[in-house]
Amino acid sequence: MLLSRPISALSHWLRTPSPQVLFDRQLVWIALGLMLIGLVMVTSASFPISSRLTDDPFHFMFRHGIFLLLALATSSVVLRVPMQRWMQYSTVLLAISFLLLIIVLLAGKSVNGASRWIPLGLFNLQPAEVAKLSLFIFMSGYLVRKHDEVRQTFFGGFMKPIMVFGTLAILLLGQPDLGTVIVMLVTLFGMLFIAGAKLSQFLALMVAGILAVVALIAAEPYRIRRVTSFLDPWEDPFGSGYQLTQSLMAFGRGEWFGQGLGNSIQKLEYLPEAHTDFVFAVMAEELGFVGVTLVLMLIFSLVFKAILIGKKAFEHDHQFGGYLAFGIGIWFAFQTLVNVGAAAGMVPTKGLTLPLISYGGSSLIIMSVAVSILLRIDHECRLAQRHNTKELNDEKQ
C-alpha cells in the first residue's frame, strides 16, 4: 500500500501527454543529461591534474558536483520568477554587470595573464558570464519597447543597443576576453535580425564588426600567434601550436568508438586545460566519433527546443520571452560551435566553455539559469494556452 501511491503517481506522470503538463519535460531531461555527461567527463579529464595539484584525484569532481548543486538550486529559484520581472529589472541587471566588470578590472584574480575572476571563496565569479545573460535580457526588453524604431531608424533604434554592447566590449577587452565579445556580438546580430532590422543596416554593421574583430586580433601579438598557430599548428608543435596539436592527436586516437571512458592518454597532462576548454577533445578520444556526435545532437536538441519555445512565445504574443528564447538558443549554438571548432582546429582558440559540460562554476550556473528561463517562458505560454482553451470551452457551453 505504501509503495502503490508513488508508483501510481510516477506511472501517471510518465503517461501524461506533454501538452497537459505545465513545463517542457524534454528540455529538463536534455539539460540534466548534459549536466551528467559533464560531471562524468570532467571527472575523467581532471584525474591527472587533480592528483598533481591536490593529491586528491577527485578534487575537481567534488568541486564540479558542488557547482552542479548550486546551479540546480539557483535554477529552481529562477524558475519561479515571472518573465515580467526579468523585463522590469533588465536595466538593473545590466547595471550590475557593468559594476562587476569594473570590479574585476580593479581587483580581479589573474590566471594565465587574464584578470577575469572575482574570488568568492567557494568559487571564482566570472562577470563575463553574467554580462552575457544580462545583455540578452536587456536586449529582449529593448526590442519590445523600441520595436518600431529598430525597424525604421538607424541611430534612434538600431545604434543604441550597439552602443551598450560597445561599452561592455571595452570592459571585456580590458580583461582581456575577446571570445565573450564575439559571442555577444553574434547573438546581438541574431536578435536584431529576428526583430526585423533593415538588411542594409545589418550588413553594414556586420562588416564593421568583422573589421573590428580583425583589428583587435592584429593589435595583440598573442592573438596573432593564436591565429597563425591555428592555421598551421604543426609548424611549431612544441610552442604556439602545442595545445592544438595535442587536441588533434586526441581526436585521431578516438576513431569511431573511442578508447573507452577513462582511457585517454592526452589528458595525462599532455593536453593543457583538458577539463575546461578542451574537455571535448578528451571526450572525442574516450568516446570516439559516435560518442561526440550523440553529445552534439543533445546540445543542439536543446538549441532546437529554445527556438521552438521562442516561436511559441511569439505566437502567444509574449514578445519579450520570444526574443530572449531565440537569444539563448543562438548563444548556446554559437558557443558550442566555437568550443568544438577550437578543439578540432577549425577556429582559433577562444577560451569558451562547452555549455553545461565544461568545468567552471560561473558558466554552469549562468547557463543553468538560462535553461530555467526557457522553461519559464514555455510554462507561461502553456498557461496562456490553457486559459484560452478554457475560455473557448466556456463560450461553447
Side-chain angles (χ1 to χ4, degrees), residues 99-381:
L99 181 62
L100 289 173
L101 288 172
I102 292 169
I103 290 171
V104 80
L105 288 176
L106 297 175
K109 180 181 178 182
S110 181
V111 178
N112 297 330
S115 182
R116 299 178 186 173
W117 295 270
I118 300 174
L120 295 180
L122 183 61
F123 72 102
N124 297 321
L125 176 66
Q126 191 171 359
E129 298 294 334
V130 181
K132 273 189 276 194
L133 184 58
S134 299
L135 177 65
F136 304 149
I137 291 171
F138 171 79
M139 189 64 196
S140 301
Y142 179 85
L143 291 174
V144 173
R145 293 190 303 269
K146 307 288 185 180
H147 187 259
D148 292 335
E149 288 185 31
V150 170
R151 288 190 169 198
Q152 294 170 8
T153 62
F154 183 71
F155 289 103
F158 192 75
M159 283 304 294
K160 285 179 184 176
I162 302 302
M163 290 165 66
V164 172
F165 161 75
T167 310
L168 280 173
I170 290 169
L171 293 172
L172 286 164
L173 290 170
Q175 297 182 9
D177 190 354
L178 181 61
T180 297
V181 172
I182 292 172
V183 170
M184 283 182 168
L185 184 63
V186 170
T187 307
L188 199 62
F189 280 169
M191 293 175 77
L192 285 167
F193 185 74
I194 291 164
K198 290 181 180 178
L199 190 60
S200 58
Q201 298 174 353
F202 184 78
L203 291 174
L205 193 61
M206 190 164 64
V207 170
I210 292 169
L211 291 174
V213 169
V214 171
L216 288 168
I217 291 170
E220 292 287 348
Y222 81 93
R223 289 180 188 145
I224 296 172
R225 284 197 300 271
R226 277 189 178 181
V227 173
T228 53
S229 65
F230 143 73
L231 292 172
D232 187 8
W234 303 103
E235 184 181 350
D236 187 12
F238 298 104
S240 59
Y242 178 77
Q243 196 170 29
L244 183 52
T245 55
Q246 298 302 316
S247 179
L248 292 173
M249 287 178 195
F251 274 86
R253 292 191 77 250
E255 299 181 348
W256 283 98
F257 298 101
Q259 299 294 317
L261 190 62
N263 293 330
S264 168
I265 297 296
Q266 296 307 114
K267 72 182 181 186
L268 301 176
E269 300 204 54
Y270 293 106
L271 177 63
E273 310 295 341
H275 62 301
T276 54
D277 301 344
F278 281 81
V279 71
F280 191 78
V282 177
M283 197 184 302
E285 187 177 0
E286 295 188 349
L287 305 182
F289 177 79
V290 174
V292 296
T293 300
L294 292 173
V295 172
L296 287 176
M297 285 174 65
L298 206 56
I299 294 174
F300 285 103
S301 295
L302 192 151
V303 172
F304 186 62
K305 275 285 180 184
I307 292 168
L308 290 179
I309 289 169
K311 181 174 176 289
K312 187 194 292 186
F314 283 131
E315 288 171 354
H316 287 86
D317 201 32
H318 291 183
Q319 301 293 318
F320 175 75
Y323 287 125
L324 186 52
F326 271 100
I328 291 170
I330 295 167
W331 166 26
F332 274 52
F334 186 71
Q335 187 154 323
T336 300
L337 288 171
V338 172
N339 180 279
V340 173
M346 293 184 285
V347 298
T349 306
K350 282 286 170 283
L352 295 171
T353 58
L354 191 61
L356 300 177
I357 292 178
S358 294
Y359 176 83
S362 298
S363 174
L364 185 59
I365 291 169
I366 292 297
M367 289 191 161
S368 299
V369 167
V371 173
S372 290
I373 290 173
L374 287 176
L375 285 167
R376 181 71 198 191
I377 295 167
D378 178 73
H379 171 69
E380 292 189 6
C381 290

Side-chain angles (χ1 to χ4, degrees), residues 2-15:
L2 291 173
L3 288 173
S4 62
R5 284 187 179 179
I7 292 172
S8 175
L10 179 63
S11 175
H12 174 73
W13 184 79
L14 289 170
R15 287 185 287 103

